[in-house]
């Protein structure tokens, strides 16, 4: 337990950071007064209750010590991973969202059970995905019921993530490679929220500054003039210069991989929330407009796996990109003027209606216990193609929860 002196030092430090950086620590901003949800409250409540029942199906299939990854319908085979897989935090995070929505303690119990297997990853310095792994799980748990143990785990996770930062490059390394290469993927924008939390929790502004530096480097180099995003940038580890711009999971180096666009949209929305720097809001709006105005976005607003896939309109859809977009837009619409806010909200509402339809949402007891169908993980590698994905479920439930908040 910290001393009162230390406690007030932390409060003072946080206050100074807010003054210096214009930072707001509120995670739930006021809702735009013009927005009126069209999906009935009872429908959203039913969707969340049915999701809770479905996730008990998934829990009952899960081997001890394993985390759900995907499901292969034709083989009736659940694909799992260890705690070190980048998706390990989404399953407990979804359980906690559903527990918060329904009050079903079985869901909380299952989340806490599997988090005991996850907590060792707080010391994992070999991955940039600690925000996904630890903040989506222990961060959600700490928000629901704060515990000193959760705080310590999250602070250690932030320290592990920070260890991958290069001052020369001005970014957090995503994937390890050769000594001269420093690979950064757009997905890494999603892990910065953990660092902002760490500054609030400890009073150490270095986490905050590191997150801002990474976001600024990404802003400078990762985007094309039309605000589409490269997936992977390769910086020179010694000079910090950009050596290569390419893809790994998209169709081509110059194509717009759908989930990468969603990561960027969500990430810069968080950046504005945490800093109130208008350049991040401007970027988030540009990224939203790229998606919503794209000629290849289908009417149901669930994107093809890549906006430039050669076989559109027969290309696979990616429900995970749709879910991430929906959740991001439901936050972004709170920060923009009324006409734009309504536009973003209506688009997110359409995405939720589509994801909740029989086309994308699995029938109870099917899909191995996963909620959504038709996710695309890594099509060029032939991995997780047209299957359920834990992160699709996570952001779908997060989006439903955010949608509910517009009626409060």
């Amino acid at each position: 337990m910290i001393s009162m002196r230390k406690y007030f030092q932390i409060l003072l430090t946080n206050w100074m950071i807010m003054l210096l950086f214009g930072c707001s620590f509120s995670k739930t901003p006021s809702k735009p007064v013009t927005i009126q949800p069209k999906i009935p409250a009872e429908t959203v409540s039913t969707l969340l209750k049915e999701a809770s029942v479905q996730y008990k199906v998934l829990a009952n299939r899960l081997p001890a010590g394993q985390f759900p990854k995907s499901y292969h319908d034709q083989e009736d085979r659940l694909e799992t991973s260890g705690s070190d897989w980048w998706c390990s935090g989404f399953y407990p995070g979804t359980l906690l969202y559903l527990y918060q929505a329904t009050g079903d303690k079985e869901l909380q119990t299952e989340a806490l059970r599997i988090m005991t297997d996850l907590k060792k990853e707080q010391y994992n310095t070999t991955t940039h995905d600690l925000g996904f792994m630890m903040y989506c799980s222990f961060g959600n748990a700490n928000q629901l019921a704060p515990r000193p143990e959760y705080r310590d785990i999250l602070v250690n996770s932030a320290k592990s993530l920070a260890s991958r930062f290069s001052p020369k490059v001005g970014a957090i390394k995503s994937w390890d490679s050769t000594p001269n290469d420093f690979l950064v993927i757009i997905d890494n924008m999603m892990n910065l929220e953990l660092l902002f939390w760490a500054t609030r929790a400890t009073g150490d502004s270095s986490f905050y500054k590191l997150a801002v530096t990474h976001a600024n480097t990404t802003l400078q180099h990762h985007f094309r003039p039309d605000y589409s995003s490269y997936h992977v940038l390769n910086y020179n580890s010694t000079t910090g210069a950009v050596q290569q711009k390419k893809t790994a999971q998209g169709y081509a180096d110059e194509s717009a991989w759908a989930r990468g666009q969603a990561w960027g949209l969500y990430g810069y929305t968080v950046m504005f929330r945490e800093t109130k720097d208008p350049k991040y809001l401007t970027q988030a709006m540009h990224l939203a407009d790229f998606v919503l105005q794209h000629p290849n976005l289908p009417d149901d607003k669930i994107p093809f796996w890549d906006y430039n896939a050669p076989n559109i309109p027969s290309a696979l859809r990616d429900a995970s990109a749709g879910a991430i977009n929906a959740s991001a837009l439901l936050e972004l619409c709170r920060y923009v003027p009324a006409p734009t806010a309504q536009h973003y909200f209506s688009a997110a509402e359409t995405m939720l209606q589509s994801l909740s339809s029989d086309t994308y949402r699995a029938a109870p007891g099917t899909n191995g216990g996963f909620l959504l169908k038709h996710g695309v993980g890594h099509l060029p590698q032939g991995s997780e193609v047209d299957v359920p994905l834990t992160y699709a479920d996570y952001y779908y439930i997060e989006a439903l929860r955010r949608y509910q908040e517009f009626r409060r």
Side-chain angles (χ1 to χ4, degrees):
M1 181 176 293
I2 63 173
S3 66
M4 288 298 293
R5 180 179 178 182
K6 180 64 174 176
Y7 174 75
F8 284 112
Q9 284 177 338
I10 292 173
L11 287 181
L12 179 61
T13 303
N14 286 342
W15 178 74
M16 290 297 294
I17 291 167
M18 285 190 285
L19 287 180
L20 288 171
F21 297 102
C23 176
S24 169
F25 294 142
S26 172
K27 197 168 183 178
T28 308
S30 59
K31 65 181 179 181
V33 294
T34 58
I35 288 178
Q36 296 295 328
K38 295 179 181 178
I39 304 174
E42 296 78 9
T43 299
V44 177
S45 179
T46 297
L47 288 170
L48 290 166
K49 289 177 182 176
E50 290 179 352
S52 300
V53 174
Q54 183 75 339
Y55 253 54
K56 291 180 184 180
V57 173
L58 178 55
N60 288 333
R61 294 192 62 145
L62 193 61
Q66 291 292 295
F67 291 73
K69 187 176 177 183
S70 185
Y71 173 74
H72 302 275
D73 182 62
Q74 291 185 344
E75 308 162 40
D76 189 24
R77 178 172 63 87
L78 181 67
E79 185 176 354
T80 62
S81 73
S83 62
D84 60 342
W85 180 244
W86 74 275
C87 299
S88 55
F90 293 122
Y91 174 62
T94 303
L95 288 166
L96 290 169
Y97 273 148
L98 291 172
Y99 163 65
Q100 187 179 27
T102 66
D104 189 334
K105 289 191 175 296
E106 284 186 47
L107 305 171
Q108 182 190 38
T109 299
E110 172 63 5
L112 296 179
R113 178 198 68 80
I114 202 161
M115 283 163 58
T116 61
D117 294 327
L118 180 59
K119 66 180 181 180
K120 61 179 175 292
E121 302 303 332
Q122 65 187 292
Y123 302 113
N124 188 341
T125 59
T126 68
T127 179
H128 69 288
D129 283 316
L130 287 162
F132 286 134
M133 296 161 67
M134 309 307 283
Y135 197 72
C136 292
S137 54
F138 287 95
N140 283 353
N142 193 58
Q143 186 177 14
L144 282 171
R147 295 182 186 177
E149 179 189 11
Y150 296 160
R151 178 193 179 279
D152 292 345
I153 288 170
L154 289 166
V155 170
N156 287 332
S157 300
K159 290 177 180 178
S160 295
L161 177 59
S163 73
R164 298 182 64 81
F165 179 79
S166 164
K168 178 60 69 174
V169 176
I172 299 166
K173 182 190 290 187
S174 296
W175 297 332
D176 293 334
S177 184
T178 63
N180 289 330
D181 291 344
F182 193 99
L183 302 178
V184 179
I185 62 176
I186 188 62
D187 318 38
N188 212 350
M189 287 298 303
M190 299 292 287
N191 293 295
L192 303 183
E193 190 172 6
L194 170 63
L195 300 176
F196 287 115
W197 176 90
T199 284
R200 296 198 299 274
T202 67
D204 183 350
S205 63
S206 65
F207 295 112
Y208 183 102
K209 294 172 183 176
L210 190 155
V212 167
T213 302
H214 180 97
N216 289 344
T217 300
T218 302
L219 187 63
Q220 182 179 0
H221 297 299
H222 236 96
F223 299 95
R224 305 180 185 96
D226 66 353
Y227 299 101
S228 61
S229 171
Y230 289 97
H231 183 200
V232 187
L233 256 69
N234 181 9
Y235 297 88
N236 184 286
S237 61
T238 302
T239 67
V242 176
Q243 301 181 136
Q244 191 179 18
K245 298 183 177 184
K246 58 182 182 178
T247 195
Q249 290 168 254
Y251 163 64
D253 289 346
E254 294 296 328
S255 72
W257 174 50
R259 195 163 63 253
Q261 295 301 130
W263 291 143
L265 168 59
Y266 193 115
Y268 280 98
T269 300
V270 170
M271 286 302 302
F272 177 71
R273 180 219 301 159
E274 297 290 348
T275 69
K276 291 299 182 285
D277 188 328
K279 72 172 178 281
Y280 299 135
L281 179 60
T282 299
Q283 183 69 4
M285 293 175 70
H286 283 314
L287 297 175
D289 293 342
F290 174 87
V291 169
L292 298 180
Q293 296 172 13
H294 201 285
N296 287 340
L297 183 69
D299 290 340
D300 69 0
K301 301 194 185 308
I302 307 304
F304 299 104
W305 73 278
D306 191 299
Y307 291 96
N308 304 107
N311 57 333
I312 289 173
S314 300
L316 293 172
R317 304 292 191 89
D318 183 10
S320 74
I324 298 160
N325 283 336
S327 187
L329 289 169
L330 287 170
E331 178 172 3
L332 181 59
C333 73
R334 296 177 178 273
Y335 304 137
V336 297
T340 306
Q342 183 63 61
H343 173 56
Y344 289 166
F345 180 86
S346 296
E349 194 169 48
T350 299
M351 294 170 192
L352 277 180
Q353 289 171 319
S354 299
L355 292 170
S356 300
S357 71
D358 292 343
T359 301
Y360 295 98
R361 192 171 71 104
T366 68
N367 208 35
F370 287 84
L371 306 178
L372 296 181
K373 303 175 287 185
H374 305 309
V376 177
H378 196 328
L379 194 149
Q381 199 176 70
S383 172
E384 299 175 339
V385 178
D386 197 24
V387 293
L389 298 164
T390 52
Y391 42 95
D393 286 0
Y394 178 88
Y395 290 105
Y396 171 61
I397 296 302
E398 182 179 82
L400 286 174
R401 297 286 292 134
R402 288 180 170 184
Y403 190 84
Q404 281 186 318
E405 291 173 0
F406 282 84
R407 285 196 168 88
R408 294 174 182 169

